[in-house]
Amino acid sequence: MADTKREIERKYESDDAALPELTRVPGVASVRGRGVTHLDATYHDTDDQRLAASSVTLRRRTGGADAGWHLKFPVAPGVRDEIRAPLSDTLPDELAALVRSRVRDRELRPVVRLRSDRDVRHLLDDQDRLLAEVSVDTVHAERLTGGGGEARWTEIEVELADDGDPAFLDKVEKRLRKAGVRPSSSSSKLARALAETENAPAAGSPAQEAAASTPPATAPEAAPRNKHRPRPHGTPVTAGDHVLAYVRAQRDALVELDPAVRQDVPDAVHRMRVATRRLRSTFRSFRSVLDRTATEPVAADLKWLAAELGKDRDQEVLAERLTQALGRLPADQVNGPVAERLAAWSEARHKGAHHELVAILDSRRHLALLDALDALLADPPLRKKAGARPEKVLAKSVRKDFGKLTALVEQALELPPGTERDTALHEARKKTKRTRYAAEAAAPALGEPAEDAVRDMKSLQGLLGDHQDSVMARRTLRELAAVAHAAGESDFTYGVLHAGEAHRAGVAEEALPEAWSSISRAFPF
């Protein structure tokens, strides 16, 4: 069984790798040596280094107190989540699943071996509590692919103790800098090993001797780029640049959220579902930029994925809403085991939905969807307007979406309360999201007007979303009441909750005309 640990650390290097007197760090009462440990780690990746490209590391390590398989995901600079599994000869399935969105069907194989002698010191406070662990690592890196190659270096690591204050690391760094120790230029040992062994032959090999007398090769001339092609790593300039930057961000979100969804991290399903919606909306809103014949097949698979994600997410939202509503009721309005029945319904639905969702993430269709998004970004189906300046092209798309939203809202407002109006408001809610996402994509180019549009659409989305959640909650309450009645339980409380939800829907409908009038008058495009 794997477990997760938040790792907060900083890496340093110096010319002599000597440590200064660390008892002079504020808060440190003593420094306790823990001896030298020999660590032997083999890092795994695909041939095209997909994990390294995402700053993800996967290793099998022996030696030390935490021997086993370690999978590390970046969280923030100097912060990573390390997922550990027991030592075994082969990669545990649970870790393989967590990198599937990045690896897809590529084979994971050993790429680098790092052997380190780690000299460890514990920094302790005046109550003998651990503040941080400081280690001096003497590293020998060996490339296991591409003809080999070796590198050696010494580095210093400072890792914060569990539940420690990250500000303490600033104090340690100040002391190290005064002693001439500088932050490492590499984010991890693996990154440094890959960089330093890429073209470095094994020590003492004929290739190493030949390399010493061979002049460096001249860098090839950059291939000419189509003037309408996006600038993948530069500042967006054209309409196509901006749209593709937004698409790329959502593709990255799908890939990066995959492990969190598998681990059932709160809100991960919701965030992944939003990324699929943003992608679909972008393909529809910016058809003048991206050729729909190429994007529509991808959009169809995104719709499928969003629907699968919705099975879990919709239930999660309803369970939270109904549980909170039940908690607000006076005790004399709660008859029967309503809380227990609601909890059982929520747990059963969630377990089944989550199991199905993990299977979806492992499916050939989902992995093919990720490959299709990669291919689309690598060779974008750009139309002529993609090469134009973004101001007119993007603003026109946002304005067009808002025009469609206007028609839907006004149609809904003309209908009497009831099922038909509920359906019309739900359609307006979906169009509100599309307009919001179009404005989000345009915001880096259009600035404040687009940001204002995003804010207004988010407000309208909240109002319409509360109404739709009420519709779904009332449907669920009717189902739960029928089950309770069949079991001989009172259905009174379900009726009370149903009435409350009907009231909330009515409040949202009453607020809509004024809210819409204000938004439509102020819409900037």
Side-chain angles (χ1 to χ4, degrees), residues 48 60 85 114 119 128 157 259 292 312 326 381 407 458 497 511:
D48 54 357
R60 180 187 184 276
L114 295 182
D119 188 0
D128 216 30
E157 278 190 11
R292 62 187 298 179
D312 197 11
L326 180 63
K458 188 175 182 179
L497 292 172

Side-chain angles (χ1 to χ4, degrees), residues 454-492:
V454 171
R455 183 177 60 252
D456 287 344
M457 291 301 100
K458 188 175 182 179
S459 174
L460 180 61
Q461 181 182 328
L463 184 63
L464 295 173
D466 192 49
H467 180 274
Q468 176 61 17
D469 288 346
S470 173
V471 172
M472 300 302 295
R474 280 176 279 162
R475 181 185 302 171
T476 299
L477 286 167
R478 289 192 294 270
E479 294 172 356
L480 290 174
V483 173
H485 181 76
E489 300 167 5
S490 170
D491 57 6
F492 170 78

